């Protein structure tokens, strides 16, 4: 599905990400590391969403075996769920208006109420504005928006870090069902190594803009890199 080799992100002459390789199939890939390790920059580079002043290059970037064009991948190729729904959702439009606009932009025909039902939200949520939603409801609404264009892959960037533990587990269970039902590839970005190891199939550990180790989640206890071992100790 996704093959990305040699990703570099730079701010002028300063390197923020250097030579990163990433692959994704129909699986759950967790990207983990401390704040500032380059996790979110990687996701934004993949979608052409880097802040002004940053540039991304790569040796190869393919999606479904074809040369990837990051801007065209947004939505129909790769959906994005961000950390804070109050920042990501449009405050002046209802949830229903945002869903209908997303469907129209991507040329998709779907029932907005059915999309909300799929993420566990009642039909009346269509008429609510983002400020009228709880944190958990807002996160579910963002997931519905990300799924509306029927993407092949989904990136969740710290998507549960702002939720209390109970809600976080509920959203994780929802993502698990949606990924299985829709046959999606999932990139799950988090600083919580223990959570990522329990939820994902593979892990990529990042430190200072580099992928220092990639391994199956079941093999985490046998991780070889010292940084991964440090994260393991910190998570205990």
């Amino acid at each position: 599905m996704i093959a990305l080799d040699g990703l570099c992100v730079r701010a002028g002459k300063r390197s923020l990400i250097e030579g990163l390789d990433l692959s994704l199939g129909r699986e759950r890939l967790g990207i983990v590391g401390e704040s500032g390790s380059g996790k979110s920059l990687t996701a934004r580079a993949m979608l052409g969403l880097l802040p002004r002043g940053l540039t991304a290059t790569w040796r190869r970037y393919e999606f479904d075996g074809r040369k990837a064009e990051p801007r065209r991948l947004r939505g129909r190729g790769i959906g994005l769920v961000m950390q804070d729904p109050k920042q990501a959702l449009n405050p002046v439009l209802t949830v229903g208006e945002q869903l209908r606009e997303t469907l129209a932009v991507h040329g998709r025909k779907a029932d907005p109420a059915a999309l909300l039902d799929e993420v566990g939200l009642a039909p009346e949520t269509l008429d609510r504005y983002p400020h009228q939603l709880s944190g958990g409801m807002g996160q579910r609404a963002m997931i519905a928006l990300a799924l509306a264009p029927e993407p092949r892959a989904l990136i969740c960037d710290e998507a549960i870090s702002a939720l209390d533990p109970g809600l976080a587990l509920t959203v994780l269970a929802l993502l698990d069902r949606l990924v299985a039902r829709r046959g999606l590839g999932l990139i799950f970005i988090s600083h919580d190594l223990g959570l990522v190891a329990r939820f994902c199939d593979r892990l990529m550990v990042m430190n200072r803009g580099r992928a220092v180790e990639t391994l199956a989640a079941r093999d985490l206890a046998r991780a070889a890199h010292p940084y991964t071992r440090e994260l393991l100790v910190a998570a205990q």
Side-chain angles (χ1 to χ4, degrees):
M1 183 180 297
I2 296 176
L4 176 60
D5 298 335
L7 172 66
C8 296
V9 176
R10 290 186 171 83
K13 295 183 178 180
R14 185 163 63 101
S15 178
L16 304 178
I17 294 177
E18 188 66 41
L20 184 140
D21 298 339
L22 180 152
S23 65
L24 179 74
R26 295 178 184 272
E27 60 181 329
R28 293 167 297 183
L29 172 67
I31 302 180
V32 66
E34 296 172 292
S35 296
S37 61
K39 306 184 302 294
S40 295
L41 273 182
T42 297
R44 291 181 177 276
M46 292 173 67
L47 294 171
L49 290 171
L50 289 175
R52 184 175 298 177
L54 302 188
T55 58
T57 59
W58 45 77
R59 291 192 307 274
R60 178 177 69 129
Y61 185 12
E62 294 181 353
F63 186 84
D64 281 349
R66 298 181 178 180
K67 184 178 178 181
E69 298 181 44
R71 293 177 183 272
R72 293 192 176 186
L73 283 180
R74 296 179 202 163
R76 295 183 70 169
I78 303 174
L80 176 63
V81 180
M82 295 191 290
Q83 179 177 359
D84 187 354
K86 287 185 170 56
Q87 295 290 329
L89 296 174
N90 190 326
V92 300
L93 297 178
T94 65
V95 171
E97 288 171 328
Q98 293 183 60
L99 276 170
R100 285 186 283 271
E101 181 179 65
T102 299
L103 290 167
V105 165
H106 292 284
R108 297 296 192 187
K109 293 183 179 180
D111 179 5
L115 287 168
L116 291 185
D117 181 67
E118 191 174 9
V119 298
L121 291 175
E124 52 264 31
T125 310
L126 290 170
D127 299 321
R128 295 187 180 179
Y129 290 89
H131 73 273
Q132 297 174 309
L133 306 179
S134 67
M137 292 175 69
Q139 202 61 271
R140 288 169 181 264
M142 278 209 301
I143 293 171
L145 280 164
L147 293 176
E150 299 180 10
R152 297 287 310 283
L154 193 65
I155 296 175
C156 291
D157 187 3
E158 297 282 6
I160 63 168
S161 61
L163 304 178
D164 66 53
L167 276 176
L169 290 176
T170 300
V171 172
L172 275 180
L174 170 64
L175 285 170
D176 196 32
R177 291 194 301 271
L178 291 170
V179 166
R181 182 186 307 155
R182 288 179 172 243
L184 299 173
L186 174 70
I187 295 176
F188 188 83
I189 295 172
S190 176
H191 62 276
D192 189 332
L193 179 60
L195 182 148
V196 170
R198 292 191 298 272
F199 179 64
C200 294
D201 304 304
R202 283 194 303 129
L203 307 178
M204 184 172 78
V205 181
M206 292 190 66
N207 184 30
R208 298 182 180 180
R210 294 178 180 270
V212 298
E213 190 164 21
T214 301
L215 69 166
R218 64 178 177 272
D219 295 332
L220 180 59
R222 298 192 293 275
H225 197 278
Y227 179 70
T228 309
R229 304 298 306 176
E230 289 177 12
L231 290 181
L232 269 172
V233 171
Q236 293 174 354

